Every structure is written in structure tokens, then in C-alpha cells.
Amino acid sequence: RILTGQSTAITGSPRCGKTSVLQYLTAPAKQQEFYGKDAEALIFSYLDAYNWGTDFGPLQFWETALRPLSDCTETALSQAYQNCQKNQFGDYALEKLVTQIKDTNQRLILIVDGFDAILNYPFQHWNAAFFGHLRTLVSRSGGGLVLILTLNGPLSDFQKAVQELTHSKSPYFNFIYEVRLGALSEEAITELLKLGDERFNEADYQLIREIVGGHPYLLQVAASM
């Protein structure tokens, strides 16, 4: 989906491995293996919504999201970024910048970990205009801007919460495909526990499987103990 310029929401219960998936997708050592000749055209930008403060708003969002472009050596893209910065990341300047990213055959992968944390921040920051423009930028970018989110729960629940927050019926996230992380299979649990060599016997395998129910973090805790 990254290679084809499609936005994605990775959803699941807390501590089920969503952030680990993001780290795996963006690991420098994996770039060539995952993205081949297109790796050099991908620009990854990572935002951790859990660490946003009450004063963090759309301006700070775009400042942080576009920071990887500040070191860009491509002249036209660098100029578009500087213009966007000069205009305090206004709607028109952002649209011009995203167009320039696409025109230079690059792709900005904007990753927001824990995006549903945005619901805990002041409403006046995260209004209908922000969500609507974010959807417009991604949808019209032609793959130049790709959004990857993680959410602690179904995308439909987040969509509904944002609609209630903004007092709007607009489907802001109807362009995003949802990938749900569920429980590990028994085969996967056994494979992971085998990394412990002689530390676990068959009775241990059975007990841990019964305790954790396939939850990745609980598996880690149970195996550690």
C-alpha cells in the first residue's frame, strides 16, 4: 500500500503491536528489501500523537509533519517547503507543496501513531476545517502524500467520534483502508516461545497460550516471568 500510494489505518487493542509495525516498516535496514528501487523516493515522517500537549494544534502538526522536507536538496521542492513555512502552512501553500512532492516523483509517508489521542485535546484546535483539508490533501495528491495512522479501536469508531467532535456528518476518513491487528495464532506463539530454547517445556507452552489468549504484549510479559 505504501508503494502504491494508498493510505492505511492500523487498528487494534492497546499494546497489540501497532507501533512495532510502524517501526518495522520504516527501519532503514529494511528499506531496500521492502521498497526496492522506490526506496529513495519515499520520505517518512513520524508523529507521536500521545506526546502532543494541549497547545499542539494544526500549525504544530504541519511543522512537525513536514520537517523531513527541510533538508531536501531538490530545488523546486525546497522552495515550495520554504514558501509553505513562510505562509505558516496555510491551506493553499500546503496544496502547492504536496503537488510539488508528486511532481518531483517523491512520496511523503506521513505516519501518525495513536491518532485517536487527538480526541483528548481542545476542540478549537482540531476542527472540521483541519480534518476536511487533511482528507483533501491526501485524496488529491495522486499518491504524493500517504497517511498511515494507528488507532486503539476500529476506524469506524474514530470516524464517528470525529464527526461528533466537529458536529459534521462528513466522512473524513473514507479514503483510508483499515488493517486490523488481532491475536497471534497458536503456531506463531509456539514459534516465538521456541526462541527461549530449553527455558520452556510443553507444559509451559500450554499454560502461556491459555493465559495470554494470543495478545502480543501479554505473551511477552508471561514469557518474561
Side-chain angles (χ1 to χ4, degrees):
R1 294 186 63 79
I2 288 175
L3 285 173
T4 53
Q6 301 178 75
S7 294
T8 308
I10 302 172
T11 66
S13 62
R15 309 299 295 267
C16 72
K18 299 183 295 296
T19 300
S20 295
V21 170
L22 297 181
Q23 293 171 343
Y24 191 59
L25 291 171
T26 59
K30 290 288 185 179
Q31 298 293 293
Q32 273 314 121
E33 177 185 342
F34 288 162
Y35 312 115
K37 60 182 177 58
D38 295 319
E40 294 182 2
L42 301 179
I43 305 169
F44 288 96
S45 178
Y46 179 88
L47 284 74
D48 185 354
Y50 296 116
N51 291 326
W52 294 350
T54 55
D55 294 330
F56 195 94
L59 175 59
Q60 291 76 19
F61 175 89
W62 288 114
E63 282 180 340
T64 308
L66 301 177
R67 194 166 293 156
L69 299 177
S70 61
D71 298 325
C72 180
T73 56
E74 209 285 330
T75 304
L77 184 53
S78 177
Q79 289 177 345
Y81 171 77
Q82 292 173 19
N83 181 63
C84 198
Q85 193 176 38
K86 180 180 178 181
N87 287 277
Q88 294 194 307
F89 303 96
D91 291 356
Y92 180 70
L94 281 169
E95 290 169 13
K96 296 287 285 184
L97 177 60
V98 171
T99 298
Q100 195 60 55
I101 294 173
K102 174 65 176 177
D103 290 346
T104 53
N105 296 315
Q106 298 190 75
R107 177 168 293 151
L108 177 63
I109 314 298
L110 177 53
I111 297 171
V112 188
D113 196 9
F115 195 46
D116 46 344
I118 203 172
L119 301 173
N120 301 322
Y121 297 114
F123 166 73
Q124 66 267 24
H125 293 328
W126 310 108
N127 53 28
F130 170 78
F131 291 111
H133 193 233
L134 178 62
R135 176 183 62 187
T136 298
L137 283 173
V138 178
S139 299
R140 295 181 181 177
S141 71
L145 176 61
V146 174
L147 194 61
I148 298 181
L149 312 175
T150 68
L151 305 169
N152 286 314
L155 178 61
S156 59
D157 288 356
F158 179 63
Q159 172 87 288
K160 182 178 178 181
V162 171
Q163 288 175 326
E164 292 176 353
L165 174 72
T166 58
H167 305 290
S168 169
K169 293 184 179 180
S170 181
Y172 296 112
F173 300 98
N174 60 352
F175 65 95
I176 293 180
Y177 179 79
E178 181 176 8
V179 174
R180 297 184 182 182
L181 297 189
L184 296 171
S185 66
E186 289 201 7
E187 293 78 9
I189 293 174
T190 300
E191 183 179 347
L192 288 167
L193 291 178
K194 282 182 178 179
L195 298 174
D197 297 324
E198 74 284 352
R199 293 180 180 86
F200 303 109
N201 57 35
E202 191 57 43
D204 295 328
Y205 287 166
Q206 185 60 35
L207 176 61
I208 291 175
R209 281 196 291 263
E210 291 175 1
I211 291 173
V212 305
H215 193 286
Y217 176 68
L218 295 181
L219 172 64
Q220 189 176 18
V221 172
S224 175
M225 296 185 68

